[in-house]
Amino acid sequence: MSHPLQDGWIEREPFYQPFADEVALFEAAYARRLPVLLKGPTGCGKTRFVEYMAWKLRRPLVTVACHEDLAAHDLVGRWLLDAQGTRWQDGPLALAARHGALCYLDELVEARADTTVVIHPLTDTRRMLPIAAKGETVAANADFALVVSYNPSPAARELKASTRQRFCALAFDYPGAELEAGIVARESGLALERAAAIVGFGLRTRRLRDHGLEEGASTRLLVHAAQLAAQGVAAATACRVAIVDALCDDADLRQALQAALDDSF
Amino acid sequence: MSALPATEPLQRYLRVLWGIAPEIRLDAEVPSIQHGVLRLPAGGSLDACEAWRRQRAAAAHAGAHRVYSPPGFDGAGLGPLVRALVGVLEDARVEALAGRELPGLRRLWASLHGASPADGESVPALLARLARALADPDYADPHPWIAKGRALFFADDAGEVLALGDPARLRQVASRLGNDLGQMRLQFNAKSWRPAPAYRDDNAWMWPAELAADEAPREPPPAARDTPAAGPVPPQPPVEHLPEWDRLIGRLRRDWVAVFEQEAVPAAEPLALEGTALRQATRRALLAGTPTQRRGLDETGPSFDPDALVRVRIAQRLRHAVDPRVHPRRVRPPRPGRVLLLVDRSASSGDTLPGSAGTVLDVSLRAAALLAEALAAHGRPAALLAFASEGRAALRLAPLQRAGQPTDAAGLRRRLAGLQPGGSTRLGAVLRSALKRLGRAGADEAPPVLLLIGDGRPHDIDVHDPRYLGADCRHALAQARRQGVRVLGLIVDPADDGSARRLFGAGAVALLPRLEQLPRTMARLRL
């Protein structure tokens, strides 16, 4: 019988460019099975980092993108009805805990309050997952580890202190300009010099953070622009489509960004 | 593009380019930088795109000075012509540096140069031609003086490498070029000259010693400086223009009503509120509107409904089709809708309410305070807006409590107590402005509510057709329905003749003859 998390194994090394000692720190935390909180702006490489670490640690990865309708039972599991009667189906968190995967809860604060509480017994010395609906308590596999991410911003919800104080936190930010140009060039296949020009414009948009924009262009958006440019779209047009128009709808803000874009190329 | 002289896009533009945010005013005839304030000409008769292009060029040029220029130059011993030349060379130097970083700026600036040999060989023409030769690599000028200036400015023929790195070297080159002009016996009038093209600032900031000497006598005495703060508040521009429905032509008149927003002046004493019994009854009355939960079954869920499972088993035994809905439905009641309370403070609200000592405004304000308090207690903070109009030229809105801001009950009651009756009731415009503020409901949110507190009779001084404002109000109400906003009326009217009921619809209106009846009235309105 195949492994229940067969789809979670990452075969090929994902491209990840370390910016500090985050890889070593994550390895140290994993060695002691400490839960890790990744915080940082959108599109700065948190998810890619988890994929890379899952590959490096040779563990399957279970990713759940949290949203405001995500309830505890969506993580733990549910009863289903089939021809023979009723049947229990483990949710992603229960699967990861049983079979020793890295479980990555992306944007945990977006989920409903009961979701954050269900991870509590898994993130302290108990390392167990009570499944009330089934009357079972799952002891976490020795290889299981929990990773959650969250994007702290004035508009975002706060993580409760009782949840927050269970994690080691790794703070992420956009990499330095040189490093980011290298990442964008590598991800898009665009020449380094052209990627650097796109990154230059992206860095400027970040100056509008809290001055009209909630966030400036993320590394992900810069990669999108570079990918369009690598497809033969003019760099300025690629930046308009992938960055300016993607970032905002406000006419005044677009006017300022478009003018700066015209000046940048 | 915005019709108002908005400096916001220019400010954001400079922030994106260099992370700087100087104060910008669009009130000058020629661009200038004074004490860090960037003063630019307003667009004037130019079309919006062209005005933006020029303002952008001027703002970017001034921004380049801020980023690449020293704070000032030493003008000691320099004649006016050499100073003008230092200015031209410094302008070209900062533009070249900015153009390296932002190649598009070089194109923008070059496109605004118009000097050519056809302009002649006066000093201003030669200075403008030199400025162009230094800014535009495609411009070729046959004049040997300009060729010399270019050769001294750039270290290479292609015009990529600057030869002038520091201010001392700039002075040297300017002196040499000025000397050449002197040899040509050309006249220069420093008073009438100003840097070309027009987007460049007057460079007065370059000579801080002279600027300080010029400005010293003009400094107003401290007493005179203090007076404006004590005097009347300068008139603010309208925050928006709203359309209005004209029933005779059967269409919306665009930008017809000017809306002004002014902060409410708090009174020294907060509005006195009634006893706790009325406050508690009002809180309870608001709960009457809470939607009840629906029961039902779903195809997915964390637990089973035993009855449904039994029905499934029976159906399976009978070989009937099975209803897969066996999980109790997860019911999340929608979050209660946002509330905006609109208080009518027009002159008619000064009328006395029969059977009570207070005026319509007194009762309206107390009702508003009680409701705001009760809503906040239910975790549903309301925004509060008082309104009165003076014709279509001025609809005055006073935000007493803004949406999303922390509730300050004592401050709110002081602001409410500070309101005085005056003006008219341009109800349609008030509703439109309020609808803009409320927006649409979120995905899991009940419809937003607009609650009008007052006599609900549209009236204004510049409208003589008795049906005009009513028709406009109905049009605004239809817009509210389309936007999914509930508009309710809490009518405080000494001479109620049912007009508010006809305007808003009978179910959306409740009459408040006395404040004590607020709980019963609100239970009927179901906020």
Side-chain angles (χ1 to χ4, degrees):
Chain A
M1 193 178 144
S2 63
H3 192 279
L5 291 174
Q6 187 141 36
D7 296 340
W9 293 95
I10 295 169
E11 304 293 338
R12 288 179 50 199
E13 177 180 356
F15 168 66
Y16 177 74
Q17 172 70 56
F19 61 90
D21 50 358
E22 73 275 19
V23 174
L25 287 173
F26 191 98
E27 283 177 323
Y30 181 74
R32 291 302 185 104
R33 303 296 184 266
L34 296 175
V36 177
L37 166 72
L38 309 179
K39 57 179 186 177
T42 181
C44 71
K46 301 186 291 285
T47 302
R48 182 64 68 86
F49 173 68
V50 178
E51 287 171 1
Y52 174 76
M53 290 315 299
W55 171 83
K56 197 162 195 300
L57 297 167
R58 295 167 199 276
R59 296 313 318 154
L61 176 65
V62 175
T63 301
V64 182
C66 299
H67 52 83
E68 59 183 14
D69 264 341
L70 187 91
H73 72 263
D74 293 319
L75 289 179
V76 173
R78 64 186 64 192
W79 286 103
L80 297 178
L81 187 69
D82 63 16
Q84 279 70 48
T86 57
R87 174 172 65 85
W88 174 260
Q89 187 186 47
D90 272 340
L93 185 63
L95 271 180
R98 270 190 220 279
H99 302 287
L102 283 190
C103 184
Y104 176 44
L105 305 179
D106 195 4
E107 297 293 352
L108 180 66
V109 276
E110 296 296 332
R112 283 169 54 176
D114 60 339
T115 317
T116 47
V117 176
V118 84
I119 63 171
H120 283 185
L122 272 175
T123 47
D124 52 32
T125 49
R126 291 173 284 172
R127 282 182 57 87
M128 61 182 199
L129 177 65
I131 306 181
K134 201 181 168 202
E136 182 192 357
T137 299
V138 178
N141 184 301
D143 293 331
F144 166 79
L146 189 70
V147 187
V148 306
S149 76
Y150 120 95
N151 176 1
S153 77
R157 280 192 249 171
E158 273 284 317
L159 210 52
K160 278 197 299 187
S162 59
T163 305
R164 189 185 262 272
Q165 292 201 15
R166 292 165 182 274
F167 293 89
C168 302
L170 289 179
F172 279 64
D173 205 343
Y174 301 118
E178 308 258 312
L179 214 54
E180 195 164 21
I183 293 170
V184 171
R186 160 76 207 254
E187 288 280 283
S188 63
L190 200 65
L192 185 63
E193 199 179 316
R194 294 184 67 200
I198 292 175
V199 168
F201 176 66
L203 289 178
R204 291 180 198 284
T205 65
R206 290 177 198 160
R207 292 176 180 153
L208 282 185
R209 185 175 178 173
D210 299 332
H211 295 282
L213 285 181
E214 204 176 301
E215 302 259 352
S218 62
T219 308
R220 181 168 41 222
L221 281 193
L222 302 185
V223 169
H224 288 176
Q227 283 173 335
L228 287 179
Q231 277 305 110
V233 178
T237 312
C239 285
R240 175 169 58 77
V241 173
I243 300 176
V244 175
D245 288 351
L247 276 180
C248 66
D249 300 315
D250 177 76
D252 283 357
L253 205 53
R254 282 198 67 244
Q255 192 182 10
L257 281 173
Q258 183 61 48
L261 175 60
D262 291 343
D263 296 345
S264 297
F265 289 96
Chain B
M1 304 212 176
S2 167
L4 298 168
T7 55
E8 187 81 24
L10 283 174
Q11 244 152 358
R12 283 177 171 158
Y13 172 63
L14 288 184
R15 191 182 284 280
V16 176
L17 290 191
W18 290 298
I20 56 174
E23 185 186 337
I24 300 177
R25 292 187 208 147
L26 300 179
D27 59 354
E29 284 190 15
V30 294
S32 70
I33 308 170
Q34 294 173 356
H35 307 296
V37 178
L38 191 50
R39 298 184 61 191
L40 305 177
S45 57
L46 294 170
D47 78 83
C49 282
E50 187 55 24
W52 165 246
R53 198 167 78 94
R54 282 167 197 244
Q55 282 171 351
R56 195 182 129 197
H61 178 83
H65 275 312
R66 171 98 175 245
V67 175
Y68 300 106
S69 285
F73 286 74
D74 178 15
L78 294 186
L81 179 58
V82 178
R83 284 189 188 195
L85 274 160
V86 170
V88 171
L89 295 174
E90 178 64 4
D91 283 345
R93 190 182 73 87
V94 297
E95 287 192 1
L97 291 174
R100 267 187 212 165
E101 197 188 338
L102 298 153
L105 274 180
R106 211 181 288 179
R107 284 196 306 274
L108 172 68
W109 286 323
S111 70
L112 291 165
H113 282 264
S116 71
D119 295 345
E121 298 191 352
S122 64
V123 174
L126 284 175
L127 289 175
R129 285 165 66 183
L130 176 65
R132 182 170 185 189
L134 300 181
D136 184 355
D138 298 330
Y139 171 69
D141 196 295
H143 199 287
W145 180 79
I146 287 168
K148 180 177 177 182
R150 202 168 182 277
L152 288 168
F153 187 79
F154 292 112
D156 63 336
D157 289 342
E160 294 290 333
V161 185
L162 294 182
L164 305 182
D166 61 302
R169 178 93 183 101
L170 212 70
R171 271 175 77 121
Q172 245 175 22
V173 171
S175 298
R176 276 179 70 184
L177 290 171
N179 200 32
D180 290 349
L181 286 181
Q183 307 253 321
M184 289 183 233
R185 305 266 180 259
L186 292 175
Q187 295 295 315
F188 175 61
N189 182 354
K191 289 221 175 340
S192 63
W193 180 80
R194 58 163 316 281
Y199 72 81
R200 288 188 174 176
D201 59 272
D202 58 11
N203 284 343
W205 63 269
M206 290 177 78
W207 320 105
E210 284 74 0
L211 207 60
D214 280 357
E215 284 186 357
R218 282 189 233 144
E219 192 80 4
R225 264 205 314 251
D226 289 347
T227 34
V233 185
Q236 297 282 325
V239 288
E240 60 181 339
H241 287 87
L242 292 171
E244 190 164 86
W245 178 257
D246 188 328
R247 68 177 191 93
L248 288 178
I249 59 171
R251 24 197 305 211
L252 276 173
R253 287 187 182 274
R254 286 184 62 195
D255 297 342
W256 196 248
V257 183
V259 182
F260 294 83
E261 199 172 291
Q262 59 196 57
E263 292 300 324
V265 185
E269 282 296 310
L271 192 72
L273 274 194
E274 314 303 314
T276 43
L278 182 60
R279 293 159 90 158
Q280 283 173 353
T282 309
R283 276 184 213 180
R284 277 197 303 275
L286 292 188
L287 281 180
T290 312
T292 50
Q293 299 197 350
R294 285 174 298 138
R295 303 290 301 271
L297 296 171
D298 262 338
E299 286 187 27
T300 61
S303 57
F304 283 117
D305 181 281
D307 293 344
L309 282 182
V310 170
R311 283 198 296 275
V312 165
R313 231 2 168 200
I314 294 170
Q316 281 175 337
R317 292 270 170 91
L318 292 171
R319 296 186 185 275
H320 285 177
V322 169
D323 184 351
R325 289 171 298 178
V326 291
H327 304 275
R329 175 172 292 163
R330 273 192 290 157
V331 184
R332 287 182 74 191
R335 281 185 288 143
R338 283 160 287 151
V339 182
L340 175 53
L341 304 178
L342 293 170
V343 182
D344 177 1
R345 65 163 191 90
S346 62
S348 60
S349 69
D351 296 351
T352 314
L353 211 57
S356 91
T359 60
V360 170
L361 188 63
D362 284 336
V363 174
S364 302
L365 295 180
R366 286 192 164 77
L370 283 168
L371 287 174
E373 191 186 79
L375 284 163
H378 288 309
R380 218 181 144 186
L384 238 108
L385 205 58
F387 65 88
S389 58
E390 291 150 29
R392 74 179 183 93
L395 169 62
R396 299 197 186 280
L397 301 177
L400 302 165
Q401 169 76 48
R402 290 179 192 273
Q405 303 240 321
T407 318
D408 160 25
L412 171 63
R413 275 160 52 194
R414 265 204 295 280
R415 287 192 289 277
L416 281 168
L419 289 178
Q420 298 296 330
S424 310
T425 316
R426 208 169 188 101
L427 211 47
V430 174
L431 292 179
R432 281 192 191 91
S433 184
L435 286 174
K436 272 193 177 177
R437 282 157 206 260
L438 266 180
R440 284 173 185 275
D444 57 345
E445 201 178 15
V449 181
L450 262 181
L451 178 68
L452 172 79
I453 307 176
D455 61 14
R457 292 166 186 265
H459 172 267
D460 211 341
I461 43 173
D462 58 349
V463 179
H464 307 292
D465 173 357
R467 288 191 286 163
Y468 175 92
L469 286 175
D472 172 54
C473 186
R474 271 187 208 96
H475 194 271
L477 286 167
Q479 183 193 334
R481 274 193 295 280
R482 282 196 300 276
Q483 198 177 315
V485 174
R486 292 169 66 208
V487 182
L488 304 175
L490 183 62
I491 302 303
V492 190
D493 191 353
D496 177 55
D497 56 359
S499 61
R501 256 191 302 279
R502 283 194 293 281
L503 194 59
F504 290 87
V509 162
L511 198 67
L512 182 69
R514 283 180 303 126
L515 190 63
E516 294 71 46
Q517 292 191 7
L518 183 67
R520 196 193 300 172
T521 314
M522 290 318 296
R524 205 160 53 235
L525 274 182
R526 296 171 78 90
L527 202 60

